[in-house]
Amino acid sequence: MGGRPAFRPPPRALAPLTEEQLKRQQALLQAMEDNEAAAYRDVEALLDDTQKEKARALVSEQREERQRARETFQKKEAPPAP
């Protein structure tokens, strides 16, 4: 099967991001999502109903996976409790 490999958290803890790095990361992720959504809208018009259904399922899976990845990174970046 083609497509992207499943997200796997890094094997070791990441260093916390600075505020600037976090803002850049969020802006980049948002730009990627915007580009993917625009590309999907362009392609969806060319698909038949069966293909649209499959494409929507794939897009939904990717969004869920991306959300899990974000949550994983946010947990790792949270400062330790005092």
Side-chain angles (χ1 to χ4, degrees):
M1 217 189 279
R4 298 179 184 172
F7 171 75
R8 291 190 182 111
R12 59 187 169 93
L14 300 173
L17 296 178
T18 65
E19 182 111 10
E20 176 73 21
Q21 290 171 324
L22 186 57
K23 286 180 183 179
R24 273 190 296 196
Q25 180 188 52
Q26 290 171 343
L28 179 60
L29 290 172
Q30 186 62 51
M32 289 170 56
E33 288 176 11
D34 293 346
N35 288 339
E36 287 180 359
Y40 177 77
R41 284 191 303 272
D42 290 345
V43 170
E44 187 178 40
L46 305 173
L47 303 176
D48 64 35
D49 290 340
T50 303
Q51 292 170 322
K52 285 180 183 180
E53 187 177 318
K54 289 179 183 178
R56 287 178 184 143
L58 289 171
V59 168
S60 179
E61 287 175 25
Q62 287 180 344
R63 285 185 181 143
E64 290 172 9
E65 188 172 318
R66 187 180 301 121
Q67 183 60 34
R68 284 192 302 271
R70 278 187 175 179
E71 290 170 359
T72 299
F73 282 120
Q74 287 172 351
K75 288 177 187 174
K76 290 183 179 293
E77 294 171 3

Coordinates of all heavy atoms in Angstrom, one line a residue:
M1 N 0.8 -1.2 0.0 CA 0.0 0.0 0.0 C 0.9 1.2 0.0 O 1.9 1.3 0.7 CB -0.9 0.0 1.2 CG -2.3 0.6 0.9 SD -3.3 0.8 2.3 CE -3.9 -0.8 2.7
G2 N 0.5 2.3 -0.7 CA 1.3 3.5 -0.8 C 0.9 4.4 0.3 O 0.2 4.1 1.2
G3 N 1.4 5.6 0.2 CA 1.0 6.6 1.2 C 2.2 6.9 2.2 O 3.3 6.4 2.0
R4 N 1.8 7.7 3.1 CA 2.8 8.1 4.2 C 3.0 7.0 5.2 O 2.0 6.3 5.6 CB 2.3 9.3 4.9 CG 2.2 10.5 3.9 CD 1.7 11.7 4.7 NE 1.5 12.8 3.8 CZ 1.0 13.9 4.2 NH1 0.5 14.1 5.4 NH2 0.8 14.9 3.3
P5 N 4.1 6.8 5.8 CA 4.3 5.9 6.9 C 3.6 6.5 8.1 O 3.4 7.7 8.3 CB 5.8 5.8 7.1 CG 6.3 7.1 6.5 CD 5.4 7.5 5.4
A6 N 3.1 5.6 9.0 CA 2.5 6.0 10.2 C 3.4 6.8 11.1 O 4.6 6.5 11.1 CB 2.0 4.8 11.0
F7 N 2.9 7.7 11.8 CA 3.7 8.6 12.7 C 4.2 7.7 13.9 O 3.4 6.9 14.5 CB 2.9 9.7 13.3 CG 3.6 10.4 14.4 CD1 4.6 11.3 14.1 CD2 3.3 10.2 15.7 CE1 5.3 11.9 15.1 CE2 3.9 10.9 16.7 CZ 4.9 11.7 16.4
R8 N 5.5 7.8 14.2 CA 6.1 7.1 15.3 C 6.8 8.2 16.1 O 7.6 8.9 15.6 CB 7.0 6.1 14.9 CG 6.4 4.9 14.2 CD 7.3 3.8 14.0 NE 6.6 2.7 13.3 CZ 6.9 2.4 12.0 NH1 7.8 2.9 11.3 NH2 6.2 1.4 11.5
P9 N 6.5 8.3 17.4 CA 7.2 9.3 18.2 C 8.7 9.0 18.2 O 9.1 7.9 18.1 CB 6.6 9.1 19.6 CG 5.5 8.1 19.5 CD 5.5 7.5 18.2
P10 N 9.5 10.1 18.4 CA 10.9 9.9 18.4 C 11.3 9.0 19.6 O 10.7 9.0 20.7 CB 11.5 11.3 18.6 CG 10.3 12.2 18.9 CD 9.1 11.4 18.6
P11 N 12.4 8.2 19.5 CA 12.8 7.3 20.5 C 13.3 8.0 21.8 O 13.3 7.4 22.8 CB 13.9 6.5 19.9 CG 14.4 7.3 18.8 CD 13.3 8.1 18.3
R12 N 13.8 9.2 21.7 CA 14.3 9.9 22.9 C 13.5 11.3 23.0 O 12.9 11.8 22.1 CB 15.8 10.2 22.8 CG 16.2 11.0 21.6 CD 17.7 11.0 21.4 NE 18.1 11.6 20.2 CZ 18.3 12.9 20.0 NH1 18.3 13.7 21.0 NH2 18.7 13.3 18.8
A13 N 13.5 11.8 24.2 CA 12.8 13.0 24.5 C 13.4 14.2 23.7 O 14.7 14.3 23.5 CB 12.9 13.3 26.0
L14 N 12.6 15.0 23.2 CA 13.0 16.2 22.4 C 13.3 17.4 23.4 O 12.6 17.5 24.4 CB 12.0 16.6 21.4 CG 11.6 15.6 20.3 CD1 10.5 16.1 19.5 CD2 12.8 15.3 19.5
A15 N 14.2 18.2 23.0 CA 14.4 19.4 23.8 C 13.2 20.3 23.6 O 12.7 20.4 22.6 CB 15.7 20.1 23.4
P16 N 12.8 21.0 24.7 CA 11.7 21.9 24.6 C 12.0 23.0 23.5 O 13.1 23.5 23.4 CB 11.5 22.5 25.9 CG 12.3 21.7 26.9 CD 13.4 21.0 26.0
L17 N 10.9 23.4 22.8 CA 11.1 24.4 21.8 C 11.0 25.8 22.4 O 10.2 26.0 23.4 CB 10.0 24.3 20.7 CG 9.9 23.0 19.9 CD1 8.7 23.1 18.9 CD2 11.2 22.9 19.1
T18 N 11.7 26.7 21.8 CA 11.6 28.1 22.3 C 10.2 28.6 21.8 O 9.6 28.0 20.9 CB 12.7 29.0 21.8 OG1 12.6 29.0 20.3 CG2 14.1 28.4 22.2
E19 N 9.8 29.7 22.3 CA 8.6 30.4 21.9 C 8.6 30.7 20.4 O 7.7 30.4 19.6 CB 8.3 31.7 22.6 CG 7.0 32.3 22.3 CD 6.0 32.3 23.4 OE1 6.4 31.9 24.5 OE2 4.9 32.6 23.1
E20 N 9.7 31.2 19.9 CA 9.9 31.5 18.5 C 9.8 30.2 17.6 O 9.2 30.2 16.6 CB 11.3 32.1 18.3 CG 11.6 32.4 16.8 CD 10.8 33.6 16.2 OE1 10.3 34.4 17.0 OE2 10.7 33.6 15.0
Q21 N 10.5 29.1 18.1 CA 10.4 27.9 17.3 C 9.0 27.3 17.3 O 8.6 26.8 16.3 CB 11.4 26.9 17.9 CG 12.9 27.2 17.7 CD 13.8 26.3 18.6 OE1 13.4 25.9 19.7 NE2 14.9 25.9 18.0
L22 N 8.3 27.4 18.4 CA 7.0 26.9 18.5 C 6.1 27.7 17.5 O 5.3 27.1 16.8 CB 6.4 27.0 19.9 CG 5.1 26.4 20.2 CD1 5.0 25.0 19.8 CD2 4.7 26.6 21.6
K23 N 6.2 29.0 17.4 CA 5.4 29.8 16.5 C 5.7 29.4 15.1 O 4.8 29.3 14.3 CB 5.7 31.3 16.7 CG 5.0 31.8 18.0 CD 5.3 33.3 18.2 CE 4.7 33.8 19.5 NZ 5.0 35.2 19.7
R24 N 7.0 29.3 14.8 CA 7.4 28.9 13.4 C 6.8 27.5 13.1 O 6.3 27.3 11.9 CB 8.9 28.8 13.2 CG 9.5 30.2 12.9 CD 10.9 30.1 12.5 NE 11.6 29.6 13.7 CZ 12.9 29.7 13.9 NH1 13.7 30.1 12.9 NH2 13.4 29.3 15.0
Q25 N 6.9 26.6 14.0 CA 6.4 25.2 13.8 C 4.9 25.3 13.5 O 4.4 24.6 12.6 CB 6.7 24.3 15.0 CG 6.2 22.9 14.8 CD 6.3 22.1 16.1 OE1 5.8 22.5 17.2 NE2 6.9 21.0 16.0
Q26 N 4.1 26.0 14.3 CA 2.7 26.1 14.2 C 2.3 26.7 12.8 O 1.4 26.3 12.1 CB 2.1 26.9 15.3 CG 2.1 26.1 16.6 CD 1.7 26.9 17.8 OE1 1.7 28.1 17.8 NE2 1.4 26.2 18.9
A27 N 3.1 27.8 12.4 CA 2.8 28.4 11.1 C 3.1 27.5 10.0 O 2.3 27.4 9.0 CB 3.7 29.7 11.0
L28 N 4.2 26.7 10.1 CA 4.5 25.8 9.0 C 3.4 24.7 8.9 O 3.0 24.3 7.8 CB 5.9 25.2 9.3 CG 6.4 24.1 8.3 CD1 6.5 24.7 6.9 CD2 7.7 23.6 8.7
L29 N 3.0 24.1 10.0 CA 2.0 23.1 10.0 C 0.7 23.6 9.5 O 0.0 22.9 8.7 CB 1.8 22.5 11.4 CG 3.0 21.7 12.0 CD1 2.7 21.4 13.5 CD2 3.2 20.4 11.2
Q30 N 0.3 24.8 9.8 CA -0.9 25.4 9.3 C -0.8 25.6 7.8 O -1.7 25.3 7.0 CB -1.2 26.8 10.0 CG -2.5 27.3 9.6 CD -3.7 26.4 9.9 OE1 -3.8 26.0 11.1 NE2 -4.6 26.1 9.0
A31 N 0.4 26.1 7.3 CA 0.6 26.3 5.9 C 0.5 24.9 5.1 O -0.1 24.9 4.0 CB 1.9 26.9 5.6
M32 N 1.0 23.9 5.7 CA 1.0 22.6 5.1 C -0.5 22.1 5.0 O -0.9 21.6 4.0 CB 1.8 21.6 5.9 CG 3.3 21.8 5.8 SD 4.3 20.8 6.9 CE 3.8 19.2 6.6
E33 N -1.2 22.3 6.1 CA -2.6 21.9 6.1 C -3.4 22.7 5.1 O -4.3 22.1 4.4 CB -3.2 22.0 7.5 CG -2.7 21.0 8.4 CD -3.2 21.1 9.9 OE1 -4.1 21.9 10.1 OE2 -2.6 20.5 10.8
D34 N -3.2 24.0 5.0 CA -3.9 24.8 4.0 C -3.6 24.3 2.6 O -4.5 24.3 1.7 CB -3.5 26.3 4.2 CG -4.0 26.9 5.5 OD1 -4.9 26.2 6.1 OD2 -3.5 28.0 5.8
N35 N -2.3 24.0 2.3 CA -1.9 23.6 1.0 C -2.5 22.2 0.6 O -3.0 22.0 -0.5 CB -0.4 23.5 0.8 CG 0.3 24.8 0.8 OD1 -0.3 25.8 0.5 ND2 1.6 24.9 1.1
E36 N -2.6 21.3 1.6 CA -3.2 20.0 1.4 C -4.7 20.2 1.1 O -5.2 19.5 0.2 CB -2.9 19.1 2.6 CG -1.5 18.6 2.7 CD -1.3 17.7 3.9 OE1 -2.2 17.4 4.6 OE2 -0.1 17.2 4.0
A37 N -5.3 21.0 1.9 CA -6.8 21.2 1.7 C -7.1 21.8 0.3 O -8.0 21.4 -0.4 CB -7.3 22.1 2.8
A38 N -6.3 22.8 -0.1 CA -6.5 23.4 -1.5 C -6.2 22.3 -2.6 O -7.0 22.2 -3.5 CB -5.5 24.6 -1.6
A39 N -5.2 21.5 -2.4 CA -4.9 20.5 -3.4 C -6.0 19.5 -3.4 O -6.4 19.0 -4.5 CB -3.6 19.8 -3.1
Y40 N -6.5 19.1 -2.3 CA -7.6 18.1 -2.2 C -8.9 18.7 -2.9 O -9.5 18.0 -3.7 CB -7.9 17.7 -0.8 CG -9.1 16.8 -0.7 CD1 -9.0 15.4 -1.0 CD2 -10.4 17.2 -0.4 CE1 -10.0 14.6 -1.0 CE2 -11.5 16.3 -0.4 CZ -11.3 15.0 -0.7 OH -12.3 14.2 -0.7
R41 N -9.2 19.9 -2.7 CA -10.4 20.5 -3.3 C -10.2 20.5 -4.9 O -11.2 20.2 -5.6 CB -10.6 22.0 -2.8 CG -11.2 22.0 -1.5 CD -11.6 23.4 -1.1 NE -10.6 24.4 -1.2 CZ -9.8 24.7 -0.2 NH1 -9.9 24.1 1.0 NH2 -8.8 25.6 -0.3
D42 N -9.0 20.8 -5.3 CA -8.7 20.8 -6.8 C -8.9 19.4 -7.4 O -9.5 19.2 -8.4 CB -7.3 21.2 -7.1 CG -7.1 22.7 -6.8 OD1 -8.1 23.5 -6.7 OD2 -6.0 23.2 -6.8
V43 N -8.5 18.4 -6.7 CA -8.5 17.0 -7.2 C -9.9 16.4 -7.0 O -10.4 15.7 -7.9 CB -7.5 16.1 -6.4 CG1 -7.7 14.7 -6.7 CG2 -6.1 16.6 -6.8
E44 N -10.6 16.7 -5.9 CA -11.9 16.1 -5.7 C -12.9 16.4 -6.8 O -13.7 15.5 -7.1 CB -12.5 16.7 -4.4 CG -13.8 15.9 -4.0 CD -14.3 16.4 -2.7 OE1 -14.3 17.7 -2.4 OE2 -14.8 15.6 -1.9
A45 N -12.8 17.5 -7.5 CA -13.7 17.8 -8.6 C -13.5 16.8 -9.7 O -14.4 16.6 -10.6 CB -13.4 19.2 -9.1
L46 N -12.3 16.1 -9.8 CA -12.0 15.2 -10.9 C -12.4 13.7 -10.6 O -12.3 12.9 -11.4 CB -10.6 15.2 -11.2 CG -10.0 16.6 -11.6 CD1 -8.5 16.6 -11.7 CD2 -10.7 17.2 -12.8
L47 N -12.8 13.5 -9.3 CA -13.1 12.1 -8.9 C -14.6 11.8 -9.0 O -15.5 12.6 -9.0 CB -12.7 12.0 -7.4 CG -11.3 12.3 -7.0 CD1 -11.1 12.2 -5.5 CD2 -10.3 11.4 -7.8
D48 N -14.8 10.4 -9.2 CA -16.2 10.0 -9.2 C -16.6 9.7 -7.8 O -15.8 9.9 -6.9 CB -16.4 8.7 -10.1 CG -15.6 7.5 -9.6 OD1 -15.5 7.3 -8.4 OD2 -15.1 6.7 -10.4
D49 N -17.9 9.4 -7.6 CA -18.4 9.3 -6.2 C -17.7 8.2 -5.4 O -17.4 8.4 -4.2 CB -19.9 9.0 -6.2 CG -20.7 10.2 -6.7 OD1 -20.2 11.3 -6.6 OD2 -21.9 10.0 -7.1
T50 N -17.3 7.1 -5.9 CA -16.6 6.0 -5.2 C -15.2 6.5 -4.8 O -14.8 6.3 -3.7 CB -16.5 4.8 -6.1 OG1 -17.8 4.4 -6.5 CG2 -15.8 3.7 -5.3
Q51 N -14.6 7.2 -5.7 CA -13.2 7.7 -5.5 C -13.3 8.8 -4.4 O -12.4 8.9 -3.5 CB -12.6 8.2 -6.7 CG -12.3 7.2 -7.7 CD -11.8 7.7 -9.1 OE1 -12.4 8.7 -9.5 NE2 -10.9 7.1 -9.7
K52 N -14.3 9.6 -4.5 CA -14.5 10.7 -3.5 C -14.6 10.1 -2.1 O -14.0 10.6 -1.1 CB -15.7 11.6 -3.8 CG -15.4 12.5 -4.9 CD -16.7 13.4 -5.2 CE -16.5 14.3 -6.4 NZ -17.7 15.1 -6.7
E53 N -15.4 9.1 -2.0 CA -15.6 8.4 -0.7 C -14.3 7.9 -0.1 O -13.9 8.1 1.1 CB -16.6 7.3 -0.8 CG -17.0 6.7 0.5 CD -18.1 5.6 0.3 OE1 -19.0 5.8 -0.5 OE2 -18.0 4.5 0.9
K54 N -13.5 7.2 -1.0 CA -12.2 6.7 -0.5 C -11.2 7.8 -0.2 O -10.5 7.7 0.8 CB -11.6 5.8 -1.6 CG -12.3 4.5 -1.8 CD -11.7 3.7 -2.9 CE -12.5 2.4 -3.1 NZ -11.9 1.6 -4.2
A55 N -11.2 8.8 -1.0 CA -10.3 10.0 -0.7 C -10.7 10.7 0.6 O -9.8 11.0 1.3 CB -10.4 11.0 -1.9
R56 N -11.9 10.8 0.8 CA -12.4 11.5 2.1 C -11.9 10.6 3.3 O -11.5 11.2 4.3 CB -13.9 11.7 2.1 CG -14.3 12.8 1.2 CD -15.8 13.0 1.2 NE -16.2 14.0 0.2 CZ -17.2 13.9 -0.6 NH1 -18.1 12.9 -0.5 NH2 -17.5 14.9 -1.5
A57 N -12.0 9.3 3.2 CA -11.6 8.4 4.3 C -10.1 8.6 4.5 O -9.6 8.6 5.6 CB -12.0 7.0 4.0
L58 N -9.3 8.6 3.4 CA -7.9 8.7 3.5 C -7.5 10.1 4.2 O -6.6 10.2 5.0 CB -7.2 8.6 2.2 CG -7.2 7.2 1.6 CD1 -6.7 7.3 0.1 CD2 -6.4 6.3 2.4
V59 N -8.1 11.2 3.7 CA -7.9 12.5 4.3 C -8.2 12.5 5.8 O -7.5 13.1 6.6 CB -8.6 13.6 3.5 CG1 -8.6 14.9 4.2 CG2 -8.0 13.7 2.1
S60 N -9.3 11.9 6.1 CA -9.7 11.9 7.5 C -8.7 11.1 8.4 O -8.3 11.6 9.5 CB -11.1 11.2 7.6 OG -11.5 11.1 9.0
E61 N -8.2 10.0 7.9 CA -7.2 9.2 8.6 C -5.9 10.1 8.8 O -5.3 10.1 9.8 CB -6.8 8.0 7.8 CG -7.9 6.9 7.9 CD -7.5 5.7 7.0 OE1 -6.3 5.5 6.7 OE2 -8.5 5.0 6.6
Q62 N -5.5 10.8 7.7 CA -4.3 11.6 7.8 C -4.5 12.7 8.8 O -3.5 13.0 9.6 CB -3.9 12.2 6.4 CG -3.4 11.2 5.5 CD -3.0 11.8 4.1 OE1 -3.5 12.9 3.8 NE2 -2.3 11.1 3.4
R63 N -5.6 13.3 8.9 CA -5.9 14.4 9.8 C -5.8 13.9 11.3 O -5.3 14.5 12.1 CB -7.2 15.1 9.6 CG -7.2 16.0 8.4 CD -8.5 16.7 8.2 NE -8.5 17.5 7.0 CZ -9.5 17.7 6.2 NH1 -10.7 17.1 6.4 NH2 -9.4 18.5 5.2
E64 N -6.4 12.7 11.5 CA -6.4 12.1 12.8 C -4.9 11.8 13.2 O -4.5 12.0 14.4 CB -7.2 10.8 12.8 CG -8.7 11.1 12.7 CD -9.6 9.9 12.6 OE1 -9.0 8.7 12.7 OE2 -10.8 10.0 12.3
E65 N -4.2 11.2 12.3 CA -2.8 10.9 12.6 C -2.0 12.2 12.9 O -1.2 12.2 13.8 CB -2.2 10.1 11.4 CG -0.8 9.6 11.7 CD -0.3 8.7 10.6 OE1 -1.1 7.9 10.1 OE2 0.9 8.8 10.2
R66 N -2.2 13.2 12.1 CA -1.5 14.5 12.3 C -1.9 15.0 13.7 O -1.0 15.5 14.4 CB -1.9 15.5 11.2 CG -1.1 16.7 11.3 CD -1.4 17.7 10.2 NE -1.2 17.2 8.9 CZ -2.2 17.1 8.0 NH1 -3.4 17.5 8.2 NH2 -2.0 16.6 6.8
Q67 N -3.1 14.9 14.1 CA -3.6 15.4 15.4 C -2.9 14.6 16.5 O -2.4 15.2 17.5 CB -5.1 15.3 15.5 CG -5.6 15.9 16.9 CD -5.2 17.3 17.1 OE1 -5.2 18.1 16.1 NE2 -5.0 17.7 18.3
R68 N -2.8 13.3 16.3 CA -2.1 12.5 17.4 C -0.6 12.9 17.4 O 0.0 12.9 18.5 CB -2.2 11.0 17.0 CG -3.6 10.4 17.3 CD -3.5 8.9 17.2 NE -3.1 8.4 16.0 CZ -3.9 8.1 14.9 NH1 -5.2 8.3 15.0 NH2 -3.4 7.6 13.8
A69 N 0.0 13.1 16.3 CA 1.4 13.6 16.3 C 1.6 14.9 17.0 O 2.5 15.1 17.8 CB 1.9 13.7 14.9
R70 N 0.7 15.8 16.8 CA 0.8 17.1 17.5 C 0.6 17.0 19.0 O 1.3 17.6 19.7 CB -0.3 18.1 16.9 CG 0.0 18.7 15.7 CD -1.1 19.8 15.3 NE -0.7 20.5 14.2 CZ -1.5 21.4 13.6 NH1 -2.6 21.8 14.2 NH2 -1.0 22.1 12.6
E71 N -0.3 16.1 19.4 CA -0.6 15.9 20.8 C 0.7 15.3 21.4 O 1.0 15.6 22.5 CB -1.8 15.0 21.0 CG -3.1 15.7 20.7 CD -4.3 14.8 20.6 OE1 -4.1 13.6 20.8 OE2 -5.4 15.3 20.4
T72 N 1.3 14.4 20.7 CA 2.5 13.7 21.2 C 3.6 14.8 21.4 O 4.3 14.8 22.5 CB 3.0 12.6 20.3 OG1 2.0 11.6 20.2 CG2 4.3 12.0 20.8
F73 N 3.8 15.6 20.5 CA 4.8 16.7 20.6 C 4.5 17.7 21.7 O 5.4 18.1 22.4 CB 5.1 17.4 19.3 CG 5.9 16.6 18.3 CD1 5.3 16.3 17.1 CD2 7.2 16.2 18.6 CE1 6.1 15.5 16.1 CE2 7.9 15.5 17.7 CZ 7.4 15.2 16.5
Q74 N 3.2 18.0 21.8 CA 2.9 18.9 22.9 C 3.1 18.4 24.3 O 3.5 19.1 25.2 CB 1.4 19.3 22.7 CG 1.2 20.3 21.6 CD -0.3 20.5 21.3 OE1 -1.2 19.9 21.8 NE2 -0.6 21.5 20.4
K75 N 2.9 17.1 24.4 CA 3.1 16.4 25.7 C 4.6 16.4 26.0 O 5.0 16.7 27.1 CB 2.6 15.0 25.7 CG 1.1 14.9 25.7 CD 0.7 13.4 25.6 CE -0.8 13.3 25.5 NZ -1.3 11.9 25.3
K76 N 5.4 16.2 25.0 CA 6.9 16.1 25.3 C 7.4 17.5 25.5 O 8.4 17.6 26.2 CB 7.6 15.5 24.0 CG 7.3 14.0 23.9 CD 8.1 13.5 22.7 CE 7.9 12.0 22.6 NZ 8.4 11.2 23.6
E77 N 6.8 18.5 25.0 CA 7.3 19.9 25.2 C 6.8 20.6 26.4 O 7.3 21.6 26.8 CB 6.9 20.7 24.0 CG 7.6 20.3 22.7 CD 7.0 20.9 21.5 OE1 6.2 21.8 21.6 OE2 7.5 20.6 20.4
A78 N 5.8 20.0 27.1 CA 5.3 20.6 28.3 C 6.4 20.7 29.4 O 7.1 19.7 29.6 CB 4.1 19.8 28.8
P79 N 6.5 21.8 30.0 CA 7.5 22.0 31.1 C 7.2 21.0 32.3 O 6.0 20.8 32.6 CB 7.4 23.4 31.5 CG 6.1 23.9 31.0 CD 5.7 23.0 29.9
P80 N 8.2 20.6 33.0 CA 8.0 19.7 34.1 C 7.3 20.4 35.2 O 7.5 21.6 35.4 CB 9.4 19.2 34.5 CG 10.3 20.2 33.9 CD 9.6 20.8 32.7
A81 N 6.5 19.7 36.0 CA 5.8 20.3 37.1 C 6.8 20.7 38.2 O 7.8 19.9 38.4 CB 4.7 19.4 37.6
P82 N 6.6 21.8 38.9 CA 7.5 22.2 40.0 C 7.5 21.2 41.2 O 6.7 20.4 41.5 CB 7.0 23.5 40.4 CG 5.7 23.8 39.8 CD 5.5 22.7 38.8

